[in-house]
Structure formats: structure tokens, C-alpha cells
Amino acid sequence: MSDSSTADEVVSEKPKVSKIHEAVIRIAGNSQDGIQSIGGFLARLAGRSEQEVMTFMTIPSTISGGPSIFQVRLSSGEVLSSGDEADVLMAFYQHSYDNHVDFVKEGGVILYDTSHVEPREDLQEKFRHIGCPISSLTVEAIGGTAKDKGKNIFALGLVARMFDLDSTRIEGLITERFKGKPESVTETALSAFHAGHGYPLTTLAEIYEFEDPKARDTEQVVCTGNEALAYGILAAGVRYGAAYPITPWSDIMELLRRELPKYNGIFVQAEDEIAAVSIAIGASWGGRCAVTGSSGPGIALKSEAIGWAVMAEIPLLVIDVQRGGPSTGMPTNVEQSDLNIACFGGHGDSPRVVIAPSSVEDCFYTAIEAVNIARKYSTPVIILTDQAIATRIEAFGMPNLKEVCQDISPDLSPRDDHKPYDLSSADGITQHVAPGTFIKSGKYPVVTGLEHNEMGHPSGSPKMHTDMTAKRRSKLQALGRELPKPEVFGPEEGNVLMVGWGSTQGSLREATERARKTGDSISSLTIRHINPLPEGLEDIFSGFNHVFVVENNDENLYGYGQLCALLRARYCDKKIQGINKADALTWRVKDVLDRVKSKLEENK
Amino acid sequence: MSATAEVERKPLTKKELAADKPTWCPGCGDFSVLALYFKLLQNRGLHHEKFATVAGIGCSSRFPYFVQAHGAHYIHGRALPFATGIAVSRQDLDVFVFGGDGDAFSIGGNHFNHCARKNVNLTYCVMDNNVYGLTKKQTSPTSPIGFKSKTDMWGAIDKPINPMQQAISAGATFVARTTHTNPKHLLSMMEAAMDHKGFAFIECLSECTEFYDGAFDSSNPRKGGEFKEISEDHDPTDENAAYALAEELVPGYFGVYYQISRPTKQDKEAEVNSKFLEKTKGMEDWEILQQNFNKMK
Ligand SMILES: Cc1ncc(C[n+]2csc(CCOP(=O)(O)OP(=O)(O)O)c2C)c(N)n1
Ligand code: SF4
Ligand SMILES: [Mg+2]
């Protein structure tokens, strides 16, 4: 807990109250303990209290359980990452204790379940250990039948007590959460919460109180990246989609399946990913940009069809929530290793648009941006997120939905004539007319994956192939010219520029701030538009001695991660170098800085 | 939808319906299917913009280029899911899908089963020549055992699939068989398929004169064969009877094997939606979304 500033002394037998600025709480147990829901409650509570919040979780890929953690970082100020070290570890089992004790800050608190955990003697000095018979007290509070259920809510009560959180609000959240379930369920949960909250934390010397956060002008919402992206898709006006389930993408399809009926839309669960992308493309041909999505293995299956959409120039939104790969890989871990398949995973010359949102909030707005690019340039657009951004919870300002929601219904007004693949169109941009459109000339277009003439009929002419290939390329070059130049975080000139994409933005920014505090000349840059790249990056790079591309992927055969290789190919600048790791975990701030340091050493 | 209703429009002529000159080999069975598709559209007075023609890849799948209407030439084997996309999102259109036996039952086999089971409202005509035409004579999933192809030079050894039985067991609600050598029958099957609400599947024997000449002579009276029409006694709602009738592959029987009425994919989705739409009636889209965001406060 940073800044234990003003410590108000309170009456002697009561614990000391310390004002804190932020706290990182890691809850470790098994997935069936409802670890995620404690984290969810804390995150939501923080959002309502106008606190900044960021969470991080790992869940096992098998449903029958297995170790699971949820880490939440709450702050009265800005939160960039989920935090390297925990101020508090709540350990439900011995394995939770053993595996996570190293993540606790020296002097931090370890709250453990005495029914399952035997704390280590040699660590008694280093951490403040507080035992509580969480399991047995939960059973006592809510009755013997509950078994392991309810332990999470009991633990939530303990945390609420420790951080002096607003228990009335938490009660409200609990009641909301179980709305629609029998009343007894809510009552049981509340009993568990009260039991935890009322537990005399006798060995706890302090309780903590958050400083009042700065008031905001907008309301906050709290959700995961997957939720933000799914709602963004709805805001963008998408009403049809299809997919096949796969972790960590499934949440999005489930949400769309649940919500689309309200808008008279349809989300189809397809028999496989090839069918899914094909259904989405068929619906897009119908005149309204549709969505499909998956994670790595499914994206591989979709690639032939995406190539068709490139060739036929059909707008399409494709979501890739990356996980550890290749193959089935590490389904519930993070990795940024699908950049290549997103940008280049097609046969033939098949340029497509790839965008990587860098925060939960960005997921929402990127969905809208992507749909608009797909429509304007008549092209597939792939949004690359990853397991970390998909599952973490962040708070952000309530979007102005009235303003951002858009209607993208097809325009079926009659045309005099229509040439879908008009070579003289500005920047080579195709605009299709959807089936259902009456064309007075009586000449109707065909959309096709064969090389074609301007009406979409097959052409084997070498000149036509050259011209059409250039057309498909030049429209994306036009897009590249239109993209905003990204902004450097930190000064625009200095020694090191760390470049990242997607979910690592927070860690890189926090690393930048930390380094600058100690006098190191480091800035960072997030590239959201991966393909095409925005213009002006070379100007940005010219302000630095070193450009280190920090990625959550392997250094590959030649020492460069996937974005790094793309940037080197694009700018042929040898100061662009890679900092990579393939442990399928998020980047810790400390590790980023250590690696920058050693990279600088190597370059000496 | 389109602003063309002002004047009574005459049914299209064959000339108005024809686009590119077909690239099929002389004598190819696919010509009849195209000619009768034109006839169907004329008979039903369907105008260019009222329907969509979709196909995968193969000789037969080149179909959309020859039809003057909105068409899509998609990828090999995936015409059905593509057509599902247009059929569920644009229910104002009649959707027709054409393709070959390889497209339908080999690379697209899984889609065939699922499209049938979901009873997506569209018409699917498979031009079955028992061979891969476009890629020049490889064994197809309907090639009979013993058929000598470039991939089975000593004769095909794998058991061919039975399209009628597969369609019935997968849950298709209209299953019929016809042949390019009997235009009258072919047209009547197309009409019945189009009138059917749900997944209507026609297997049309369509001879590949280039690579499997004479494949269907046994069903062609002009070649000494017999055109065996399904008898009037057959009850097309009797699944077991239909399945039994389909036992023989070539020449086999012609007509409607199976037809039942079951809510379509589109109907089922509409039923789900109607419950939600009651609640969101009169609301702007952003107001619906706002409800979700309010819950995340
Ligand atoms: C993914 C993919 N694999 C293979 C091919 C090559 N290919 C094109 S058509 C075809 C088979 C066509 O046979 P069928 O579907 O029976 O159609 P026909 O030509 O006989 O009408 C094959 C293998 C392809 N185009 N795409
Ligand atoms: S190869 Fe066979 S199927 Fe193809 S066009 Fe020629 S005759 Fe018809
Ligand atoms: Mg064939």
C-alpha cells in the first residue's frame, strides 16, 4: 500500500487507521471458490466509489477447478497496471500460499484460512500473517450444507473490514447480484458477508482507509474487456454475427447471443469456425457489417474465408482474443502471438486491417472504429485483444451512448448502374450494393473470390490482376494516411522509447513513470493500428537513441517479436530491437525496467 | 423494400436473366439446371433484386456468373453457411444455393448436416455428377465403388455417401431427387423446393460428359435406362419409408422422398426475439444499451 501517510491514532483497543492511496489485493484459491466474484465485487465497488480499479485474473482452463487467482488494484489516483506486488494476499489453500507468497510486498499482509494453510515459520518476520478459520466460520455462518460455497463472500467481508469499505454499498451489490434468485440465496450471502465483516481481526494492527479520490465529472462504469468489446459491437450497429465457442472469446459470443434479440438481431452458434466466418460474411454481403470472432485456433480456421472477404472486398469484423499458442497452447493465459496471423495469415496478397485496443475502455471504442473502417474501406478488420485485456476489469467514464450508437442498416435505394470493383473509384475503394437493390441498367454484380473484372466476373487477364491487386492495396494505404499519429507517453525525445501494443500499455506506461522518477530517460508508445501502420512513426523514432519493442511473445528465430519484426521491415532501422518473453503471463513493471536495463547493457 | 413497386413489372425474359455465357463443356448436365432455374424465376415472376444466387467452388458452382442477379461465388464447400448468413439477415430475399457433390458432401459435409438440422429457410440444389469435374476427374464422395479416377486409378474403394439418406437423417425438411435429363421433373422439383418453408434439398443428377460420361444412363430412357418415379403411394412424411426408398443409389428413384413441416431457423429466432422486442418496444437502440451500462455503474 503506497503512501501510508497520515496515520490517525484511534482509541487504544481499536486498530490503527491508516490513510492509503492504493492497494493491491491478491486472492488465491481454486476456481470453484468464486474467487472471480469477490474480485468482481471489489472492482465494482471501487468504480462506484469513483476509485480507479484494475484487475487481473487467471483461471484454469478446466472447469472442475484448479488454482485460480484474482488480483485487484484499487487507487484514489490513476491505475495503469494491475500491480507487480500485492499488499495483501488472501490464501485459501496451502498451494495458494506457497505459490503466491513471493508476490507479496515486504511487510505486506497475508490473510490465510487456518483450516487449510500452514504458514511458513521463516516468513513470520517478513510479512504480517493473519489467520482466520475462513472455511469453518463460513459453514457456521450459513449452515453446514453450504460447504465451500459462500467462502468467497465471507472473505469479501474480511477485506471490506480491513479496508473500511462501504459495507452498505457492498450489501447493495450482493443483493443486485442475486436478483431473480430465491430470497434465501441473497440472505445466505449477506449472512456470510456479515460474518466476515464482523470477524474480530485481533491480530490486525491496522485498518486502512482510502484517501478521498478526486471527484470526476463523468460517471464510471466497471467491466471486463470482453464486455466492453461486445457492447462496443452493439453500439457500432452490428446486428448479426456467428461464432464457435473458444476461451477466451466465448464471453463475447454469449453476450451478443443474449443481447442481440433486444435489437431484433441474430447471433448464430455455428458448427465450426469456418461456418461462423462464412455466416458472418454472408450477412455482411446482405448489407450490414457482421461480426465473427475466436481465439488463435479458430482464427487459423477462418483464414481462407477472410481471404475471400479481402478478394471480394466485403466489410467484416473479426475479433481475435489471443491466448497462449500455438495450437491449443495455453487457453487461459495471455500472449500476443497472433499478430502475424492477423496481419499475414492469408494466402495470396491479402491486405487487411488490424487494430489492437490497449485498455478495457479502448475495446469499446475500437469496436465502433473498426466497423466504420470496415464499411468505409469495404474490408475485413481484425481486432486483436488478448486474454489479459479480455478478462481484466477496469473502470472508465460512462460513454455517451446517444452520441456513439449508430445505425448501419443497409441502403437498398435503387441505382441506375453499379460497378462494384470500379478501378477508377477514389483510392480504389469499393462500395457494394446489397442484394435487394434494384439496378436500372439490369446489370447485376457478382461478389467473388476469383480474380475479377469491375463487375465481379472472372478475369484471367494479367493486367486485371495487377490492377485489382493494386486496388486492394491502395485503399489500405489511403487508410494508413488517414490514421492519427500515435502520441508518445512521456517526452518526445530521449534515450529509450519502449514500443508496445494491446494489453501491455498499462505496464509500459507505469514503467515509464517509474523510470522517469529515478531520472532515466524513457518514454513509451502504444501502436493501436497495426496494419496498416499510421504515418509518422519514423519521426517519433528519430527522437530516441533506442527503440525497444516490448511484447508478450517470443523473440523468434532472429531475435524479434512479431510487432518488432514488422517495424524493422517497415523502417529498416537497426535501433529497433525486441524485448520479449514467452511465459504467458502479463508483463510486470519491474521486469520491463530490468529488461530495458539489460538491453541497454547489450547495446553498449 | 426497393422502390420499384410503382409499375407492374413484367416477368423477366430469359435474355434478361442470362449473364455470362456458361463455360461448361458441351453436353454438361449443368446446362439444364441453369435453363430450368431461369424458367423457375420466370414462372414465379421473381425480379433480379428479389433473390440471391450463391455457390461454392466447382464446375457447377460457377452458376452465379451465368445469372443476371445479385450473386456470390464463395469458397469451396462453404456456400451453405454463407447462404445462411444472407438468409437469416435478409429474410426478404429468396436464397438459392448451387454446388457440386464434392462441395456439398466432402469439404462441406459438416455444413450440410448442420444447415439441414437448423432448417435454414433456403433452397439447395446439388448438381451431382459423381466426380470432381473442375479439378479433372478425382474420386468424389458419391463416386461408386470401382469408378476409375485419377486418384483411384484401379477403381474407387470407399463407400459412397447416400445423399438422400444423409439429408433425411440430418433433419432436412424437404428432400428430393431429380435428373438433368428430365426437364419437366427437374422444374417441378425446383418449384416444390422453392415453395417449401425450410431447408429444401434437391439432388439433381447432372452428368459430367467430360469425366464421367454415361454415369446416369441407367436412369435415362433415351439411353435404354428407366426413369423410376416415386409412386403416389409413398408418404413423404414417413421418415422410415423415405429412408428405405433411398437405399438404391443409381439409378434410384426420383421425386420427393421426404417432406415435413418444422419451424425454420428464421422462425425460431424470430420467436426468441419477439419476447425481447416486447420489452424494448419504442426504445431507441442506445436506450437499450444504456440499460446494460447502468448495471455496470
Ligand atoms: C479449399 C479448397 N480445396 C480444394 C480446391 C480445389 N477444388 C475446386 S473444385 C473441387 C472439386 C469440385 O467437385 P464438385 O464439388 O463435385 O464440383 P464439380 O466440379 O464436379 O461440379 C476441388 C477439389 C479449392 N478450390 N479449395
Ligand atoms: S468438366 Fe464435367 S462437370 Fe465440368 S463442365 Fe465439363 S462436363 Fe460439366
Ligand atoms: Mg462433382
Side-chain angles (χ1 to χ4, degrees), chain A residues 21-25 39 42-55 71-82 165 210-222 359-361 393-397:
Chain A
H21 174 63
E22 66 159 36
V24 176
I25 307 166
L42 289 174
R44 189 140 293 170
L45 176 75
R48 286 208 181 163
S49 321
E50 298 194 326
Q51 255 139 5
E52 280 280 343
V53 57
M54 183 177 289
T55 70
Q71 179 162 312
V72 44
R73 183 181 192 178
L74 307 173
S75 171
S76 318
E78 194 184 12
V79 173
L80 291 169
S81 76
S82 58
L165 302 175
F210 283 98
E211 287 166 4
D212 285 335
K214 274 178 253 136
R216 289 169 198 282
D217 32 8
T218 53
E219 260 178 318
Q220 291 213 87
V221 287
V222 173
S359 67
V360 168
E361 178 176 28
I393 298 174
E394 282 180 46
F396 60 95

Side-chain angles (χ1 to χ4, degrees), chain A residues 455-470:
Chain A
M455 283 303 287
H457 286 257
S459 165
S461 135
K463 177 159 187 336
M464 193 59 85
H465 185 47
T466 307
D467 292 349
M468 285 292 173
T469 304

Side-chain angles (χ1 to χ4, degrees), chain B residues 130-131 137-161 212:
Chain B
N130 288 196
V131 69
K137 204 177 188 179
Q138 295 85 7
T139 304
S140 110
T142 51
S143 298
I145 288 176
F147 171 63
K148 291 200 172 68
S149 74
K150 283 188 194 152
T151 45
D152 279 314
M153 35 301 264
W154 40 75
I157 52 175
D158 298 321
K159 179 176 157 45
I161 71 126
Y212 200 170

Side-chain angles (χ1 to χ4, degrees), chain A residues 509-524:
Chain A
R509 290 192 166 178
E510 196 169 332
T512 307
E513 284 186 342
R514 204 181 283 178
R516 302 203 72 84
K517 272 192 197 138
T518 56
D520 291 324
S521 170
I522 296 183
S523 296
S524 64

